[in-house]
Amino acid sequence: MTHAAPGQVAERPEDVETAGTIQAARQEAIDHRWWVLGILSLLMGFASISTDLYLPAMPAMGQALGASPGLVEWTVSGYLIGFSFGQLFWGPVSDRHGRRLPVALGLVLFILGSAGCAVAGSGATLIGWRILQAAGASAGVVLSRAMVRDLYAGHRAVQMLSTLITVMAIAPLLGPIVGGQILLLGGWRAIFWTLVGVGMLTLAAVPSLPETLAPAYRNHEPLTRALLRYGELLKQPRLLGYAGAGGFFYGGMFAYVAGTPFAYITYHHVPARLYGLLFALGIVGIMATNTVNSRLAARVGGDRLLVLGAIQAALSGLLVAGAAWTGQGGLWGLVVPLFLFASTTGFIVANSIAGALNGFPERAGAVSALVGAMQYGSGILGSGLVGAFADGTPWPMGWVIALSGVGSLLCTRLVHARPGKTTSAPRHTLS
């Protein structure tokens, strides 16, 4: 029997055991900090790795498969479809069964999908395999964010997410460059076989991660009921504000991902092997702003940094549209405002995710999944619109990015709305 001092509530043995489990998981993460950080960063980077590596090969893929540029751009949209719906599935599954098992199952699907892409014989088949590949990759992305929230709260969660995003930015920084070299040496199919290898190595490393969701905090309601609860989350204005700010921005970022290979390589005649260097400029900006965000989060506040980032996204997006429409400044007239737009990732992504997760710590998996699905769902729309309106110029990419930046800024107004009621008790977290 546990005794308490007068005026105190006695701790139940199961509460003490759960707190000990959480502390043990955090201590394990601290003891193997760089290893755990590396794996979580890799898992968060699967969305980027799966696309950025083959960006320089998109024109060559279209020629080899007899597919139009618009159809090849839809391989990005197809990936985002699988990625969005996959997150909605993995979130509740992880809240019920823990984090590590769903990550492992997702990696198996990713490996199968990547192998299918490598042997695809048509553009339509490639899109189908990309959907499966994305459904698997989404498990690692959504659950790595949830694992951070299992262990940290408040500005500390923002700092950790910013650190992870900074580290994982190495992948898209090097992805197009490495992809261009693989394309040169082995052709575009070799790029997808490389992804198979990355997936297998990551799968082998998963057992070394700590399980961050204690059994006492798992949601044992039926999966169908858990999926229906997404409707309850969508009634929360602040959650919609965070998800919308990140979602609109992702729409612009994936318009950037789908549109720049043709804007740079086809329209401005940049050699494919040099495309990665231009793409890397944006990644450097992302890493820089994530570093700044991590250092300012405690002092300035995540919500304020989110708004400042959205203002920059709106203004730079309008500059992109102007450059794409007029052609003013040629290649660099487009590259510079795109750099400014991409750089706002450091202020928008981590703060929007952490803000949403902090409101519902007891359902971190589901909230992470919902926010991610809305973000990448907007990416489907953004990249899809670029493909649908492709006319051989950067203009379709430009106006999509401009609308995305303005939409992100408007959504930040909801962040200051009064939060809705929640029925779950707050969960013990570590700061």
Side-chain angles (χ1 to χ4, degrees), residues 81-353:
I81 291 173
F83 203 88
S84 298
F85 286 102
Q87 288 185 85
L88 293 176
F89 172 76
W90 294 118
V93 168
S94 73
D95 283 341
R96 182 181 177 91
H97 298 288
R99 310 303 189 199
R100 285 193 304 188
L101 177 60
V103 168
L105 294 176
L107 285 170
V108 171
L109 293 181
F110 174 81
I111 293 168
L112 293 175
S114 298
C117 291
V119 299
S122 68
T125 303
L126 180 62
I127 292 173
W129 284 113
R130 285 280 286 167
I131 292 174
L132 179 64
Q133 181 192 44
S138 64
V141 176
V142 69
L143 299 185
S144 59
R145 295 194 301 246
M147 291 173 80
V148 170
R149 184 57 189 85
D150 290 339
L151 298 174
Y152 303 100
H155 72 270
R156 184 60 176 150
V158 174
Q159 291 174 335
M160 289 302 298
L161 284 169
S162 291
T163 300
L164 287 174
I165 294 171
T166 302
V167 175
M168 82 168 193
I170 296 173
L173 176 65
L174 299 178
I177 299 174
V178 174
Q181 298 306 310
I182 296 174
L183 173 66
L184 183 64
L185 296 174
W188 67 269
R189 296 183 189 276
I191 293 175
F192 290 103
W193 287 121
T194 300
L195 290 174
V196 171
V198 171
M200 294 178 69
L201 289 174
T202 309
L203 179 61
V206 167
S208 65
L209 285 174
E211 175 54 70
T212 61
L213 186 62
Y217 289 142
R218 296 180 185 177
N219 188 343
H220 297 289
E221 66 183 357
L223 182 59
T224 53
R225 176 58 182 160
L227 291 173
L228 290 174
R229 285 188 179 274
Y230 280 126
E232 298 175 9
L233 294 175
L234 289 172
K235 297 177 182 178
Q236 306 296 326
R238 282 174 60 84
L239 178 59
L240 289 177
Y242 288 120
F248 271 101
F249 179 72
Y250 264 65
M253 281 300 293
F254 277 97
Y256 166 77
V257 169
T260 52
F262 294 95
Y264 291 168
I265 298 172
T266 304
Y267 188 78
H268 284 292
H269 308 294
V270 174
R273 67 181 182 277
L274 299 180
Y275 166 81
L277 296 177
L278 291 178
F279 191 83
L281 290 175
I283 306 303
V284 171
I286 292 171
M287 295 174 70
T289 52
N290 267 294
T291 301
V292 172
N293 187 70
S294 178
R295 294 179 178 179
L296 294 181
R299 184 164 69 251
V300 178
D303 288 355
R304 184 175 297 177
L305 291 170
L306 172 62
V307 173
L308 291 175
I311 292 172
Q312 180 179 330
L315 294 176
S316 57
L318 292 172
L319 290 175
V320 171
W325 176 254
T326 65
Q328 187 70 31
L331 173 64
W332 289 102
L334 192 63
V335 170
V336 172
L338 282 173
F339 167 79
L340 295 174
F341 180 83
S343 296
T344 61
T345 300
F347 297 123
I348 294 177
V349 175
N351 291 312
S352 63
I353 294 172

